[in-house]
Structures are given as structure tokens and as C-alpha cells.
Amino acid sequence: MIASPRPAARSVNDTAEYRANYNSYELIGALYAADAGLTGKGVTVGIVDGGFTTSDSELAGRQSALSKDFGNILTKQADGSYAATARNDIGLNPSSLHGAIVAELLAANRDGQGSVGVAPQASVALLRIDDSKTDMPNADGSPNEELSGANIAAAINYAASVKIPVLSVSLGIDGGASPSLTAAINRFASVGGLFVIAAGNSGSANPESIQLVSSANRGSWISVGGLSNSLTAFTLDPSSGQAGTLADRYITAPYDNIAADPANGGGFYKFTGTSGAVPLVAATAALILQKWPQLSGKDAGNVILATARDIGAPGTDPVFGRGLLDIKAALSPVDPVLVTQTGTTTPIASASLALPSATGTGSITKLLSHAVILDAFGRDFTADARGIVRSSSNIGAVAGLTRTIRRNTSGTLAFSVTSDIEYAGGPVREGEPVARLAGTEIRVRTGGTEIAFTQGYAPWTGSAVAGLGAPSLALAAYAGAVTTGARTIVPFGDGALTFDAGTGGSRAVRNIATASVDAAGVGWSNGRWSLGGGVISENGAVFGSRSTGALQLASATTTGFGEARYIRLAGRWSFTGYGSIGVTALRDATNSLLTAPSTLVTSRFGIEAGRNIGIARVTVGVAQPLNVESGGATLTLGNGYDLDSRSLTFAANPVDLRGNRQFLAQAEVDFGLVRIGFVQGMRRPETGVVTSMGWHF
């Protein structure tokens, strides 16, 4: 609820005019629209009512040329009947307060005096529907005004013919069915009009006028109930008609309102009843139509109902219907989506543009900071969508227990089985559990040949510092998602050949599709020099990173790489340098915002130094993880809205995918059964610590 006492002025629009009707406007959030610069300008709202006080200064300049009098002057004849003469007078009658105050609540000028309407620059078409009986004068001598169903039908038909988008009807039309009125409302609905009508002040279980609702007009109908103006509790005024069986087309707004008194300059008039609630809803429709002229009045009404604040029993209920009018919510996006030029949509709430740590994100996030999007009602918004971009870390962290069972069957045959259990000690791939059986390795050595089979991880994963940080082998850097593999080491000349192969992928997580990877590599090493190369093929991912919907960088990639490694001994120290160059071809993703990706050129390198200290092997080093050196794509985003075609306009923007080069300081202490690793980002704040333990018997 709203705090009390009243706060100090919060903006230039929080004036004495606004505070004249403070409680009502606070309940519906009217200040939000004023601060957003929305005033209803350019939108015409028809008010179907009795006489109006057209000399009211609060409405100066607000009266539309479409205003019309549908009433007659009724003169009593000698035989008791009445002769009707067209009146053609919108209403100069000083006692005609009802219609004038309804108009003020909707569109009273922001002029520094009196009160201000919710849509202070909307045009008001005053549609007068009462008849005047000359033989029954009011106390001031003016003719008595009597409502006429025929005149109401004529006014509604007129509004349909001149395409007035919203009608504000602060009348309770009770009694039986009226085919002519229902037909008129049906016609108004058929041209997209919004029919906003009072629920009545009889305390009924259903809104008054419900008998006029039909299948043809229900979608354009809003009945408005009256909420008490308390800022501490939500209560329907006892005299207000309830939502009843029209709950899905019913909303509440404040029952008690204050407006400048048209008959008493400088004074105020307390206007009680659902009649005053109606123009607040109609004015909100005008605000929506000013901002989004592509919508119909009916569309604006559906926005208002969908964004109402739920104040009764959860959901739509028979007392409060859809809830309380909420102007801020009505002007905010509902289920917004990113849209491609082909019409593919991706909900912002679940959107994810996942980029590998090797690529840069700066140019993409800059463009997404002012993307034009659509919501569920086809309304365009300029939104900051940078939050959908995720860049993976260069550092993964796992800790685990390793159990190794070794059995030698002969002097020339060795056999081992290793199982790993790991738990998260830092970032892990999305969807991975906190703890799991990491995998199993079977290793066989006979003669000089060694063959290893792995399930759950790749046979080359041990090349990183304690399983953490930048791996020294290129296959581990490019194909981290491999979960099943084989490695064969065969003596060759004064060294050995290594053949690697692996496959794997990532399962579907929420709205992120599955991805797969296949990798193969070959290398030669003589203990000092190592040379190698390989090919990696990915589907649904780029370097292991997956995106959703219309946010894929590529549908598939093929990477080829070459690498070299050199080890030099110096006393008790060993020094290792390594590096690789890769080239990645990307295949366009279907219906993506990102298109035309160019070939990515990548690099990675590092140096390490290690020695034995006591019972431990200590290794320190510096590495540049995988980094994109060149490459780009095109990001095509909405940049505006074309009213003629009722669709977004788009701009194609080049984006730079070059990575933000990072360096990692890495250290590892290996005690045999226990390994401790530490990695620290040198240019960006990335830190990882991991401990692993193992035993064998």
C-alpha cells in the first residue's frame, strides 16, 4: 500500500493540481504517466453523458469538433404528449455538473489551478444524450434533463461512424434487454472501439448494464467498479456493482474523486460513485493510444485489463474482477520479446546470448542497450537488453575424490580403472549438478603402446592446473564438452605418436537446445618437442557456449588448429612453453538476430615452470586462454516502428567478436594423493581455487 503521510513533491508534475485528487491518483499511479510525458495528446475520447458545462475553464481547448447533442427539447402538449425539437446544444446549463466533472477527471488542463485530468491533453467529444422537459424545470429554472435510451444508441452509433476509439459512459443502464443499444455497442466494437461503462451504484452482484453484453461486444467492454480511496486497505465501496459473471471484463478504480467545481470557480467538488471511476480508465486508454497509435481502443482495453493489480482473491475474482487500474503497469511491457526480421520471437525473460570467454561482448552489449522490442500486445519499447548477454569464465572450478584400482597381470601388461567424483567449487556449465560421478577411465598398457578410454570426461582433460584454469592442450581448450573419448600412444622413432578422439555434448536445459561436439587430434612428442593438430566439429554451440531462440551466434562450427609445445630442463627446474593457432568456420543460425559470422582466428599460449620441493611438485605459470584475434558478425536489431506497416524497422549493425585478452596466473602443488590449484585473472577479476584427492590400491 501507499505510505502516509503524504511525501514531499517527487517531480515537477507532483503539484497542487495533482494532489487535489491525491488518494485517487496515487492508487492508480497517475503520476507515472505525467512523468513519462504522456498526456493523451492526439487521442479523442467520447463522453456519453447528460449536459456539459462547456464554459468550464478546466476544459478550455479540450472539446473536440466531434462533440454533438443527440437530445431534444420536449414540450408538453395539451393532450399530455410531448413534442420533440432537436436541441443542438452541448450544454450551457450551469447545473450540468455530472458530464463536466467526468470530463475534468479525464482531461482537465494542467494549468496551475483547480485539478488536472489523467490525460490532460486528450480531446473530448462531448456526446450529450439527455432530453430536456420544459414543463419540469430545475430549481434554477433550467429544463429538467431526462436520459434517453434512443439517444444513447444514436451517440454510440455516431461514435462508431466517426471512429472515436474510446467511449466513457458514466451511466448505469439497468432494466431489461435493449436490442437497439446492444446493436449499437456491437457496431462500435466491430470498428475496434473500447466501451468503458460504470458498474453502477446499487451494490449489485453483477454490473449494471450487463444485459447489454453480447458475444460480439464482450471483447470491447470494460465495466468499472468503485474502490474506496483508503491508502491502507483495498475495499470495494458497498454501493458499487461487483464483477460477478463479468469478472474478466471488469476493473476497479477510485470511487471518490475530487475535481474543480465547474459551478463555483476556485472551489472543489467531491464526486462520489462509479461515474468518477470510469473516466480514469478511459483516460488510461488515451495514454496508451497516444504512445502506441497502432493499437485500437479494444487493444488498449485489453492492455488495461491484463495489467490490472490483483487485489482480491488470487486471479480474476467475482468481486474485484481483474483488480485495480494500474497505469504504470499498463504503460510497461507485457511479456516482451526480441524480434528478427523473419518474425521469429524470443522472450526477453528467458533469452540468453551465451558467448564463449574467447569472444568480446562490448559491441553487442552496446547495441542491446537500446534495442527496440515488442510486447505481447504489439507495442514497441526501447529497452536495455544487455542482461541477456552471458560470457563464460576462463576459470572452471571442480573439486573431487579419485579412486584408482590398479592390477598388473604381467611384467608387460598394466591395467587400471579410475573413477572420479567431483563437486562444484566454482562456476560449472549451466545445468550441471553440484556433485556428480565425473567419470571413469580404463587404461591399458602393453609393450610401448598405451590406450585409454574415458566416460564422463575427455582423456586429455588433465592438462589444466588441477583441472582448473587454461589447459595447455588445444583439444581441451576447444572441445571442453567432450564426455567420451579414447587416446592411443604409440612409439614412433625417438618419440611417440598420440591419437585422440572424443565426442560429447550438453543436454537441453530449460529453453536451451542440446549441443554436440566431435573432436579428433594427432600429435608427436619426443619428450622435449611436441607438435600436433586437430579438428573439432560442434553443433548448437560455439566453443561450448549455447544460446537460445533467435540469439545463436552460429548453428554449427568447424575448427582446425595446430599447436606446439617445448620443454627445457635447467637444473631442478623444468620450463614449458606452448601455443596454438586455430581457425573456426561458423554456419549461420536460422532466424537469428546474429547473422553472417566471419571466420574466427584464435590463439592461445602460456609458459610454466616447475620443480620438486620436498614431497611436492610445484608448478607456476602464466597463460593466455583461448582468445579470438579476428572475426565478426552482423547483429540486426529493431530500431523503430513503422505505423503504416505496423511492424518494427530494423538496422544491421556490424559487431566485433575479437576477445578481450586475458592472462591467468596459475599455480599448482601436487603431493601425489592431494593436488591444490590456484588461478587468478590478471586483467579481469577471475579467481579459482580447487583441491583434489586420490588414492589407489
Side-chain angles (χ1 to χ4, degrees):
M1 299 303 295
I2 302 162
S4 184
R6 297 182 183 184
R10 296 151 293 178
S11 73
V12 295
N13 297 299
D14 189 3
T15 61
E17 276 185 294
Y18 171 84
R19 294 192 174 210
N21 200 25
Y22 181 81
N23 279 23
S24 289
Y25 287 173
E26 288 292 285
L27 279 169
I28 62 175
L31 187 61
Y32 177 84
D35 289 344
L38 295 174
T39 61
K41 186 175 182 178
V43 180
T44 298
V45 178
I47 296 180
V48 178
D49 214 301
F52 301 88
T53 305
T54 53
S55 60
D56 185 357
S57 63
E58 290 285 2
L59 298 175
R62 301 275 62 80
Q63 183 176 328
S64 166
L66 295 176
S67 298
K68 186 174 181 179
D69 183 7
F70 296 88
N72 300 286
I73 296 175
L74 303 180
T75 304
K76 192 172 186 177
Q77 306 298 300
D79 62 0
S81 63
Y82 287 90
T85 305
R87 184 176 49 218
N88 295 322
D89 183 355
I90 296 301
L92 299 177
N93 187 344
S95 65
S96 302
L97 293 179
H98 191 276
I101 294 177
V102 167
E104 282 188 11
L105 291 170
L106 195 154
N109 288 308
R110 185 180 291 123
D111 56 7
Q113 59 184 358
S115 58
V116 63
V118 172
Q121 289 188 303
S123 294
V124 178
L126 306 174
L127 308 179
R128 187 175 181 182
I129 45 78
D130 63 294
D131 287 332
S132 302
K133 287 187 174 181
T134 57
D135 63 322
M136 299 174 63
N138 294 311
D140 60 4
S142 61
N144 177 267
E145 297 170 350
E146 184 176 274
L147 299 183
S148 163
N151 296 347
I152 296 172
I156 297 170
N157 279 314
Y158 169 77
S161 67
V162 297
K163 301 296 193 297
I164 293 174
V166 181
L167 282 180
S168 176
V169 185
S170 292
L171 307 172
I173 306 173
D174 52 12
S178 171
S180 62
L181 271 175
T182 297
I185 300 169
N186 289 351
R187 182 186 176 194
F188 184 66
S190 72
V191 297
L194 174 63
F195 190 75
V196 187
I197 187 168
N201 304 324
S202 61
S204 55
N206 285 301
E208 293 180 13
S209 311
I210 193 172
Q211 74 280 2
L212 304 177
V213 177
S214 70
S215 59
N217 65 42
R218 188 184 185 99
S220 290
W221 185 290
I222 295 181
S223 281
V224 185
L227 197 72
S228 70
N229 286 40
S230 169
L231 298 183
T232 59
F234 293 126
T235 307
L236 197 71
D237 191 274
S239 67
S240 171
Q242 296 181 19
T245 58
L246 201 60
D248 62 314
R249 307 301 303 181
Y250 178 102
I251 197 171
T252 65
Y255 186 86
D256 296 314
N257 289 277
I258 304 294
D261 188 347
N264 180 19
F268 290 94
Y269 190 94
K270 183 177 181 181
F271 196 54
T272 298
T274 56
S275 287
V278 169
L280 306 182
V281 176
T284 302
L287 300 176
I288 294 170
L289 295 177
Q290 176 196 359
K291 178 71 173 174
W292 297 283
Q294 67 265 35
L295 300 185
S296 66
K298 176 182 178 180
D299 294 332
N302 287 331
V303 170
I304 289 168
L305 291 170
T307 57
R309 182 178 180 183
D310 192 1
I311 58 173
T316 302
D317 68 84
V319 177
F320 298 99
R322 302 298 286 268
L324 171 63
L325 174 66
D326 187 335
I327 292 178
K328 180 177 180 179
L331 298 174
S332 301
V334 177
D335 299 330
V337 295
L338 286 164
V339 184
T340 69
Q341 280 187 292
T342 59
T344 300
T345 61
T346 297
I348 295 288
S350 59
S352 174
L353 175 54
L355 294 173
S357 58
T359 62
T361 62
S363 60
I364 293 178
T365 54
K366 182 178 180 180
L367 291 168
L368 287 172
S369 68
H370 53 277
V372 178
I373 61 174
L374 293 180
D375 81 342
F377 294 97
R379 300 183 296 173
D380 54 299
F381 292 84
T382 299
D384 185 346
R386 289 177 294 180
I388 68 175
V389 178
R390 295 188 298 108
S391 181
S392 58
S393 172
N394 285 299
I395 298 174
V398 295
L401 303 175
T402 302
R403 172 178 292 181
T404 303
I405 304 172
R406 285 197 173 94
R407 182 180 60 184
N408 291 326
T409 58
S410 71
T412 60
L413 178 66
F415 177 85
S416 69
V417 178
T418 303
S419 295
D420 295 275
I421 301 172
E422 71 177 19
Y423 63 90
V428 294
R429 287 197 301 269
E430 184 175 7
E432 293 290 344
V434 174
R436 64 170 187 159
L437 175 65
T440 299
E441 178 187 72
I442 300 174
R443 187 177 296 271
V444 178
R445 186 174 68 247
T446 178
T449 300
E450 182 175 299
I451 303 173
F453 301 94
T454 61
Q455 176 62 48
Y457 51 81
W460 50 79
T461 54
S463 63
V465 174
L468 182 77
S472 60
L473 294 180
L475 274 174
Y478 285 104
V482 167
T483 54
T484 302
R487 163 170 280 193
T488 302
I489 302 174
V490 180
F492 183 81
D494 62 347
L497 289 174
T498 301
F499 301 93
D500 288 307
T503 188
S506 304
R507 63 181 182 274
V509 179
R510 294 190 299 275
N511 61 329
I512 303 177
T514 58
S516 64
V517 59
D518 297 294
V522 62
W524 171 84
S525 174
N526 65 359
R528 175 168 292 189
W529 280 100
S530 297
L531 301 173
V535 177
I536 298 102
S537 176
E538 290 183 282
N539 281 290
V542 179
F543 303 150
S545 294
R546 297 176 293 161
S547 299
T548 62
L551 294 167
Q552 287 183 292
L553 175 58
S555 62
T557 69
T558 301
T559 298
F561 69 87
E563 65 177 327
R565 181 184 181 93
Y566 178 73
I567 301 175
R568 181 179 178 84
L569 301 177
R572 294 185 178 182
W573 287 92
S574 66
F575 297 91
T576 303
Y578 61 87
S580 67
I581 296 292
V583 177
T584 300
L586 297 92
R587 187 187 308 159
D588 255 341
T590 304
N591 298 323
S592 177
L593 294 169
L594 283 160
T595 58
S598 64
T599 298
L600 304 181
V601 177
T602 53
S603 73
R604 43 178 294 284
F605 57 84
I607 56 174
E608 295 176 353
R611 64 166 292 175
N612 294 325
I613 300 177
I615 63 171
R617 176 72 178 177
V618 177
T619 304
V620 296
V622 175
Q624 179 219 277
L626 189 66
N627 187 73
V628 174
E629 302 295 338
S630 67
T634 298
L635 179 61
T636 303
L637 283 175
N639 68 341
Y641 192 90
D642 180 60
L643 288 175
D644 291 333
S645 63
R646 299 194 174 217
S647 62
L648 289 181
T649 58
F650 293 87
N653 308 279
V655 293
D656 188 355
L657 295 176
R658 288 179 297 174
N660 302 314
R661 197 179 309 279
Q662 168 72 306
F663 293 96
L664 301 178
Q666 308 184 144
E668 179 184 82
V669 181
D670 187 350
F671 294 96
L673 294 180
V674 177
R675 298 169 67 198
I676 301 173
F678 173 82
V679 177
Q680 173 65 53
M682 300 173 68
R683 298 182 63 182
R684 295 194 301 276
E686 296 180 284
T687 302
V689 179
V690 69
T691 301
S692 64
M693 294 170 286
W695 68 93
H696 64 269
F697 54 89

